[in-house]
């Protein structure tokens, strides 16, 4: 059971909360609210959206002291809200147009006040409903590049970077990732769930020594490579998109960075790639080969935008003495390979682990089992690529497994 001593937001007390905070009262009229909706659909938090009679909106997100997905039996520090507030501020300062605006943070009740993005959709939901949001994958690459440079020793004063790194330690949330993403696809801790038809696939994954070896490498890197203040959970559910025409994104905003900490840059890239693979697996299962190919191509788009943006920024590091062109080229090749490793982990965990993705879960069972199998086979092939040290791209490896399902 949790030992929470702070008051949770409810539909009944939320207007009073806004009234008591001048920063929030300046953004929305608590005496003329026309709607208060709890819209949290993630695994951890309460999320309310408020609208007033003038059409102004505000989002209040409160960290619960336990995992919402499972209930109070899985306690979880609400301090994660402070990590989210810190990372959103740092990232917004670097690329304000690409990151949701943090309006206020209440460290006593773990409440973030965020700009209202109700004219946007969560990218995963958009993809699942047929809105492609072209351009979002490029934004993801540019966002990761801005963070990789701007929060690392390449873009920050050495002393300030050390202070930022110390401030950002997030061990409880990192432990979730270490367990769910790297360990439990190999060694079930009692939380894994698959369809009966996928039990053999999950067993094959767990028994694959190459995959286990790769997960050891991935977990080590995640726990030791404090490169930049990464997002830490950059899936398509952490990106909001707005598309007037249903095809191209005219606004893209990254949000939900409570897993942020100083970690490996390629972890964010791998997370994005894995989620493109889920979109591709869904499209294949539904017989939409064109969309499946489009979704897999997003990995190249994100990668190319990332590499180009990072190289441009890294041409002028804070300390240029030893970090020149050759260093940047080698760093990019290392991250490219690591993104394949992390994508492997992220793909496997969403199929066998506790926290799943709607792309696969909302498929009918007879389509879901082959789709899930194809993702696991692709994850194992990516792990093999990592261990062998090959030069294939993410799409090269994933396409033959995900674009054909059986
Ligand atoms: C217990 S939290 C489960 C998952 O939800 C988040 O989206 C993270 O990916 C985490 O691993
Ligand atoms: Mg989240």
């Amino acid at each position: 059971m949790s030992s929470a001593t702070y008051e949770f937001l409810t539909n009944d007390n939320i207007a009073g909360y806004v009234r008591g905070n001048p920063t929030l009262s300046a953004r929305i009229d608590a005496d003329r609210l026309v709607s208060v909706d709890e819209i949290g659909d993630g695994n951890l938090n309460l999320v309310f959206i408020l609208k007033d009679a003038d059409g102004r909106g505000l989002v209040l997100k409160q960290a619960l002291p336990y995992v919402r997905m499972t209930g109070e039996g899985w306690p979880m520090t609400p301090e994660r809200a402070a990590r989210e507030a810190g990372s959103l501020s740092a990232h917004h300062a670097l690329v304000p147009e690409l990151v949701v605006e943090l309006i206020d943070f209440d460290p006593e009740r773990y409440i973030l006040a965020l700009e209202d993005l109700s004219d946007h959709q969560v990218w995963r939901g958009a993809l699942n409903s047929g809105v492609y949001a072209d351009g979002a994958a490029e934004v993801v690459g540019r966002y990761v590049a801005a963070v990789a440079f701007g929060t690392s020793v390449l873009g920050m004063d050495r002393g300030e970077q050390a202070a930022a790194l110390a401030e950002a330690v997030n061990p409880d949330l990192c432990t979730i990732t270490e367990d769910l993403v790297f360990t439990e696809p190999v060694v079930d801790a009692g939380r894994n769930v698959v369809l009966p038809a996928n039990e053999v696939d999950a067993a094959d994954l767990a028994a694959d020594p190459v995959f286990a070896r790769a997960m050891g490498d991935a977990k080590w890197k995640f726990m030791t490579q404090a490169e930049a203040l990464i997002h830490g959970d950059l899936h398509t559910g952490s990106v909001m998109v707005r598309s007037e025409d249903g095809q191209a994104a005219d606004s893209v905003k990254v949000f939900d960075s409570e897993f942020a900490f100083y970690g490996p840059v390629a972890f964010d890239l791998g997370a994005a790639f894995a989620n493109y693979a889920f979109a591709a697996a869904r499209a294949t299962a539904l017989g939409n080969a064109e969309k499946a190919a489009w979704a897999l191509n997003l990995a190249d788009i994100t990668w190319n935008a990332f590499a180009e943006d990072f190289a441009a920024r890294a041409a002028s590091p804070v300390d240029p003495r030893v970090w020149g062109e050759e260093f940047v080229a080698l760093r990019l090749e290392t991250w490219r390979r690591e993104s394949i490793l992390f994508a492997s982990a992220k793909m496997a965990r969403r199929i066998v682990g506790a926290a799943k993705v709607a792309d696969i879960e909302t498929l009918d069972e007879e389509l879901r089992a082959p789709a899930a199998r194809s993702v696991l086979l692709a994850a194992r092939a990516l792990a093999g690529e990592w261990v062998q040290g090959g030069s294939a791209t993410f799409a090269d490896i994933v396409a033959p497994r995900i674009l054909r399902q059986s």
Side-chain angles (χ1 to χ4, degrees), residues 194-272:
V194 291
L195 290 171
N198 290 130
E199 278 170 10
V200 65
D201 307 306
D204 287 348
L205 175 83
D208 180 346
V210 174
F211 182 74
R213 145 80 204 280
M215 292 308 101
D217 289 347
K219 185 169 176 177
W220 171 262
K221 287 175 175 295
F222 182 82
M223 296 177 77
T224 61
Q225 282 182 200
E227 296 171 336
L229 180 58
I230 66 170
H231 181 284
D233 200 21
L234 190 56
H235 51 76
T236 48
S238 296
V239 179
M240 302 285 281
V241 297
R242 191 182 61 200
S243 174
E244 301 252 307
D245 65 4
Q247 181 66 32
D250 53 77
S251 173
V252 181
K253 305 268 187 186
V254 175
F255 72 113
D256 211 14
S257 53
E258 67 206 308
F259 283 79
F261 77 116
Y262 266 81
V265 166
F267 184 73
D268 281 351
L269 295 166

Side-chain angles (χ1 to χ4, degrees), residues 42-44 66-70 74 76 124 173 176-181 191 232-235 237-238 256 258-259 267 346 349-350 354-356:
N43 296 325
L44 296 170
Y66 51 83
V67 174
R68 178 177 182 165
M69 179 177 80
T70 55
W74 189 346
M76 182 53 50
R124 187 190 307 289
L173 278 278
I176 291 185
T177 302
E178 291 149 22
D179 290 344
L180 269 59
V181 177
R191 290 194 276 240
D233 200 21
L234 190 56
H235 51 76
S238 296
D256 211 14
E258 67 206 308
F259 283 79
F267 184 73
K346 290 289 217 171
R349 63 77 58 112
R350 294 289 189 196
K356 303 204 183 283

